[in-house]
């Protein structure tokens, strides 16, 4: 039986993760944590997941979280995820990070942590998005520079980072396949007299509205035709189940930084 701990347990994703662990054979909730002062601290995790009593109370510190689980799953915020990694004492504690919105400097710190601990880090844990990334790589390679690439994403009104981590990852995959550097070819939104579209750029458009869980479309537009590759998430459980699957996979891995294509054997 693998014990999985959840950081950010009271969040939109944290609650789904508790449910996904409970429904997964061979796994159990080892510990759950949220921020100090939250109303859920000290309560049984079932208060958050709506399931049967787990006998596990929500804690507010990393040490208790680490004691409870072989693998910690963290969907919180960049500063919280990095503080978690900084505070862990045992290098054999594996960590699945679902948080998005890391700056370049924060990503560097994440990579440093992966030199001594196994970390799974993906901007999107759905199996469908992971497969979509492979499709994008193939499409970009085959279509080449004659097709303009635009990435359009939509999320709920509470999302705090833009473009989404998934959209950025899609951009990186396409840019790599086309031999471009995303940092120098990305265009984020357009307004006013922009002039004609510069070839070889990759455009990002962001929509924030209502309760949209996560829609992504990558548009390849050439002369006389266009291809749209779209993924739509309709239930957060798809991310939670993927993250739990990833946590179980990570349990037996050595130190290093992994992503969902490793978990699904798509590398
Ligand atoms: P949320 O705001 O609903 O939840 C975040 C939780 O973290 C809250 O309960 C908050 O109290 C808790 N938290 C804050 N500080 C903390 C601390 N010091 N210690 C412990 N917990 C703390 O957000 P959400 O919608 O659940 O999303 C969380 C993150 O996951 C975001 O970055 C989002 O973009 C990302 N996300 C990733 C995927 C994926 O598949 N990778 C899918 C959905 C969301």
């Amino acid at each position: 039986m693998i014990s999985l701990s959840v950081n950010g347990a009271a969040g939109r994703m944290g609650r789904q993760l508790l449910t996904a662990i409970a429904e997964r054979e061979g796994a159990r909730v080892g510990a759950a944590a949220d921020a100090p002062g939250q109303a859920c601290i000290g309560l049984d995790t079932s208060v958050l997941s709506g399931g049967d009593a787990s006998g596990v109370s929500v804690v507010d510190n990393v040490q208790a979280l680490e004691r409870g689980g072989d693998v910690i799953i963290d969907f919180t915020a960049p500063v919280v995820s990095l503080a978690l990694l900084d505070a862990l004492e045992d290098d054999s504690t594996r960590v699945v990070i679902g948080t998005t919105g890391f700056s370049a400097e924060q990503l560097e710190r994440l990579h440093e942590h992966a030199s001594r601990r196994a970390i799974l880090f993906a901007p999107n844990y759905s199996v469908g998005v992971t497969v979509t990334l492979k499709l994008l790589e193939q499409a970009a390679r085959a279509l080449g520079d004659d097709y303009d690439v635009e990435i359009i994403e939509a999320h709920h009104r509470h999302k705090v980072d833009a473009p989404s981590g998934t959209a950025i990852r899609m951009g990186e995959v396409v840019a790599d396949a086309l031999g471009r550097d995303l940092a120098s070819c990305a265009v984020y939104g357009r307004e006013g007299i922009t002039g004609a579209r510069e070839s070889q750029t990759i455009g990002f458009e962001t929509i924030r509205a209502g309760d949209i869980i996560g829609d992504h479309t990558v548009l390849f537009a050439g002369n006389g035709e266009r291809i749209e590759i779209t993924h739509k998430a309709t239930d957060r459980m798809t991310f939670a189940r993927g993250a739990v699957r990833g946590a179980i996979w990570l349990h037996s891995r050595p130190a290093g930084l992994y992503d969902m294509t490793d978990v699904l054997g798509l590398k």
Side-chain angles (χ1 to χ4, degrees), residues 133 136 149 151 165-178 180-182 185 202-204 218:
L133 292 172
L136 290 173
V149 184
I151 300 174
T166 305
I168 294 169
R169 185 74 199 116
M170 288 174 161
E172 285 169 352
V173 165
V174 170
D176 280 356
L178 292 171
R180 299 179 201 164
D181 171 31
L182 186 65
C185 72
I202 295 179
F204 288 86
V218 180

Side-chain angles (χ1 to χ4, degrees), residues 95-187:
V95 184
V96 172
I97 293 183
T99 304
T100 62
F102 290 89
S103 67
E105 184 267 327
Q106 288 172 321
L107 278 179
E108 210 170 291
R109 284 178 57 199
L110 192 73
H111 280 256
E112 280 164 22
H113 278 287
S115 63
R116 56 181 179 282
R117 154 182 334 282
I119 297 176
L120 178 61
F121 176 52
N124 196 309
Y125 281 93
S126 97
V127 171
V129 159
T130 312
V131 171
T132 304
L133 292 172
K134 291 309 281 185
L135 298 176
L136 290 173
E137 186 184 329
Q138 284 181 336
R141 270 220 186 96
L143 295 169
D145 287 337
D146 290 343
Y147 289 72
D148 297 330
V149 184
E150 296 280 311
I151 300 174
I152 305 115
E153 61 100 339
H155 280 85
H156 54 89
R157 59 169 76 99
H158 303 289
K159 186 163 178 63
V160 296
D161 52 315
S164 71
T166 305
I168 294 169
R169 185 74 199 116
M170 288 174 161
E172 285 169 352
V173 165
V174 170
D176 280 356
L178 292 171
R180 299 179 201 164
D181 171 31
L182 186 65
S184 43
C185 72
V187 173

Side-chain angles (χ1 to χ4, degrees), residues 155-240:
H155 280 85
H156 54 89
R157 59 169 76 99
H158 303 289
K159 186 163 178 63
V160 296
D161 52 315
S164 71
T166 305
I168 294 169
R169 185 74 199 116
M170 288 174 161
E172 285 169 352
V173 165
V174 170
D176 280 356
L178 292 171
R180 299 179 201 164
D181 171 31
L182 186 65
S184 43
C185 72
V187 173
Y188 298 104
R190 296 183 182 86
E191 192 190 16
I193 311 299
T194 60
R197 188 184 198 285
E198 264 187 54
S199 71
Q200 313 242 338
T201 54
I202 295 179
F204 288 86
E205 285 79 38
T206 295
I207 293 161
R208 293 287 174 265
D211 61 357
I212 301 169
I213 290 178
D215 294 353
H216 293 86
T217 293
V218 180
L219 168 67
F220 295 89
N223 290 326
E225 65 172 357
R226 59 185 187 268
I227 298 173
E228 294 178 18
I229 297 179
T230 295
H231 177 274
K232 293 187 182 190
T234 52
D235 187 339
R236 283 189 180 82
M237 278 302 282
T238 192
F239 310 128

Side-chain angles (χ1 to χ4, degrees), residues 12-40:
R12 278 177 289 270
M13 279 306 301
R15 292 164 192 260
Q16 306 281 312
L17 286 161
L18 293 170
T19 304
I21 296 167
E23 72 177 28
R24 178 85 193 206
E25 228 172 273
R28 66 176 192 91
V29 176
D34 209 279
Q38 290 284 61
C40 60

